[in-house]
Amino acid sequence: MNIKQAKDDIKNAVSAYLTKDKFGNYVIPLEKQRPVFLMGAPGIGKTAIMEQIAEEMKIGLVSYSMTHHTRQSALGLPFIVTKSYGGEEYSVSEYTMSEIIASVYEMIEATDLSEGILFLDEINCVSETLAPAMLQFLQYKTFGRHRVPAGWIVVTAGNPPEYNNSVREFDIVTWDRLKRIDVDPVYDVWKEYAHSKGIHPAITTYLDIKKDDFYKIETTVDGKSFVTARGWSDLSDMMKLYEQKGFPVNEQLVAQYLQNAKIAKSFAVYYDLFRKYQEDYQVDKILDGKADASIKTRAREAKFDERLSLLGLIFDGLTEKIKETVLSEDTTFEHMECLKNLKMDFTANTDFTSAVDSQIALKEKEIAIGKKASNLSSDREYVLRSIIEILEGAQKIILEKSPKDAAEAFKLIKSDFDKRQKSVSKLASASSAVLSNVFNFCDEVFDKAGQELLILVTEITNSKYAIQFIKKYGCAEYAEHNKEMLFYERQNEIKQEIDKLDLD
């Protein structure tokens, strides 16, 4: 199964384990819950999907790599206590609380989240001294004498033996206590994540052409040679910063993340070509609907690989503009909710800056709890930090103008909101125009029966920002092309069904 299917499976399992009966008890008690075991190659995104599940379900997440733990840190340290049995006193060993279990309780204290996921990675690489304790943990959810709190679901992960020399093979007794999910790396699934994370378009367009380079682990005479999903993602982050600072993105940099010499060289060569396309095609003009005849002619006559690169550049530019609009609208909605609260607070309290301070504190608390609980998305954090900036601006306005009453104070900050709302409306109109310009350019340049428009519609459909925008504002060109794509796909399905028939 792919990582997206695995995420859905784990999310369903967590939801089932958190189901309560009418008396408020968990239908499947903690000791009867089989921990999920996610088996997959390194760098495939196992930790990333746990963060996504926590974010979507609004529960906590505590993560540990078991390779870093000794028996003492996992079980706790022994100490001697005196106990009386049958009138006689005996010295007895007890244990302090496990660092892992303590972290769950600390999470609950810090966030007030009584439910969550305890994610233990690389459990099949634990030390020999810790292995027996892991078996007990998987069955009874206890380390030493201390149990995982009710409402915290145990999810584990590990690498197959061929990827890690430290892997210990589980016996049947251990496997029979786990809900095992095997995951394979699939580029088309990772690409959806890549769009939402904003992976550099040079990477996605390269992998569109060379999908086999997405994930590769080989043993050579020089040792292990590998490329992973994590490597591509981390390389993307560094490429963007290097471009921003004007540093060269060359083979030396690429090879630090893609530890396969052949693939690193191939991508570095492609990146130089991609940058040339970026300059030659003047994508900003295409997005503005001002592409000249020479650009259109070159795109029309280009080979398919070059067209794919161009589509990647266009889609990246389109996505950036639409994402900006979507996040600005989310910020405006959050701003409006703050205004509602401030209107009431201003009426009840003449200390207007203190009321604004309270709203800022609420947003800062949400960020802090979200960070601690590992369930705060980057988009949500962007909105919250934007609101804090806006509220700090509102404080300055109030201090400068010194409004005499609540009505005047609210009018001042409402005026700022109105200006921002008009700005977002202009941004949305501009994004709609860009979306139409992209379709008009592709209609004019590419064959309507070709793959380019099919690729464009598919990319837009898989972009959460684009779809959110289109659902709100619509796009006649997208609707028409999407209808054509569905018709084309149905025709292919019918053809395949006919081909399967025995007509003799």
Side-chain angles (χ1 to χ4, degrees), residues 69-71 124-134 166 168:
H69 280 277
T70 63
R71 188 175 188 277
N124 56 348
C125 296
V126 296
S127 64
E128 190 173 343
T129 57
L130 188 53
M134 279 304 306
S166 304
R168 301 171 59 85

Side-chain angles (χ1 to χ4, degrees), residues 398-450:
I398 289 170
L399 287 170
E400 287 172 6
K401 301 294 184 181
S402 299
K404 61 180 183 295
D405 56 30
E408 188 177 331
F410 183 76
K411 185 178 179 181
L412 284 172
I413 61 172
K414 175 66 165 56
S415 174
D416 180 55
F417 171 80
D418 292 339
K419 290 176 186 175
R420 292 178 184 277
Q421 195 172 32
K422 286 178 182 177
S423 176
V424 172
S425 295
K426 288 180 181 177
L427 202 58
S429 296
S431 294
S432 290
V434 166
L435 196 53
S436 294
N437 292 338
V438 166
F439 275 107
N440 292 337
F441 175 84
C442 292
D443 276 335
E444 186 176 346
V445 167
F446 301 130
D447 184 354
K448 289 191 177 182

Side-chain angles (χ1 to χ4, degrees), residues 37-250:
F37 181 79
L38 194 59
M39 175 73 90
I44 201 172
K46 297 187 287 289
T47 304
I49 63 168
M50 301 315 306
E51 293 170 350
Q52 292 167 22
I53 291 168
E55 174 200 328
E56 291 167 15
M57 297 186 72
K58 303 302 179 188
I59 58 177
L61 174 66
V62 173
S63 300
Y64 271 98
S65 173
M66 293 308 296
T67 54
H68 301 154
H69 280 277
T70 63
R71 188 175 188 277
Q72 288 77 17
S73 63
L75 270 67
L77 293 171
F79 62 95
I80 306 300
V81 296
T82 301
K83 290 196 175 183
S84 179
Y85 300 110
E88 293 192 32
E89 289 191 344
Y90 297 89
S91 294
V92 179
S93 293
E94 289 196 2
Y95 286 84
T96 58
M97 182 177 282
S98 157
E99 177 189 325
I100 296 170
I101 303 296
S103 292
V104 176
Y105 281 106
E106 286 171 5
M107 168 74 79
I108 294 170
E109 289 289 322
T111 65
D112 289 329
L113 293 171
S114 59
E115 295 180 332
I117 296 169
L118 173 58
F119 178 57
L120 304 181
D121 199 3
E122 298 179 329
I123 67 162
N124 56 348
C125 296
V126 296
S127 64
E128 190 173 343
T129 57
L130 188 53
M134 279 304 306
L135 179 59
Q136 180 191 29
F137 175 78
L138 295 173
Q139 183 171 4
Y140 299 109
K141 318 302 182 296
T142 61
F143 275 129
R145 297 182 60 206
H146 303 281
R147 177 182 286 196
V148 176
W152 281 75
I153 311 306
V154 176
V155 178
T156 63
N159 300 325
E162 59 267 30
Y163 298 119
N164 195 324
N165 294 331
S166 304
V167 167
R168 301 171 59 85
E169 189 61 43
F170 286 162
D171 54 27
I172 293 175
V173 174
T174 306
W175 282 126
D176 197 36
R177 286 173 169 80
L178 295 169
K179 175 180 164 63
R180 176 170 172 166
I181 299 174
D182 290 282
V183 188
D184 297 313
V186 179
Y187 168 64
D188 288 336
V189 172
W190 180 81
K191 190 176 177 182
E192 291 184 36
Y193 160 80
H195 283 330
S196 64
K197 191 177 184 293
I199 294 293
H200 197 290
I203 290 176
T204 51
T205 52
Y206 172 81
L207 292 174
D208 282 338
I209 300 165
K210 297 190 175 184
K211 291 185 180 181
D212 289 344
D213 288 355
F214 167 58
Y215 200 101
K216 188 170 288 189
I217 297 181
E218 300 172 332
T219 302
T220 69
V221 291
D222 298 319
K224 292 285 186 183
S225 167
F226 60 91
V227 176
T228 68
R230 183 191 296 130
W232 287 112
S233 182
D234 291 347
L235 173 61
S236 170
D237 292 339
M238 190 57 75
M239 285 169 61
K240 288 182 177 181
L241 289 172
Y242 267 47
E243 289 176 350
Q244 183 180 318
K245 291 181 174 293
F247 299 157
V249 176
N250 51 29

Side-chain angles (χ1 to χ4, degrees), residues 292-308:
D292 59 37
S294 63
I295 291 175
K296 294 176 183 178
T297 300
R298 175 168 178 175
R300 195 176 293 117
E301 296 175 354
K303 292 181 180 179
F304 185 66
D305 286 2
E306 184 173 329
R307 289 183 178 193
L308 270 183

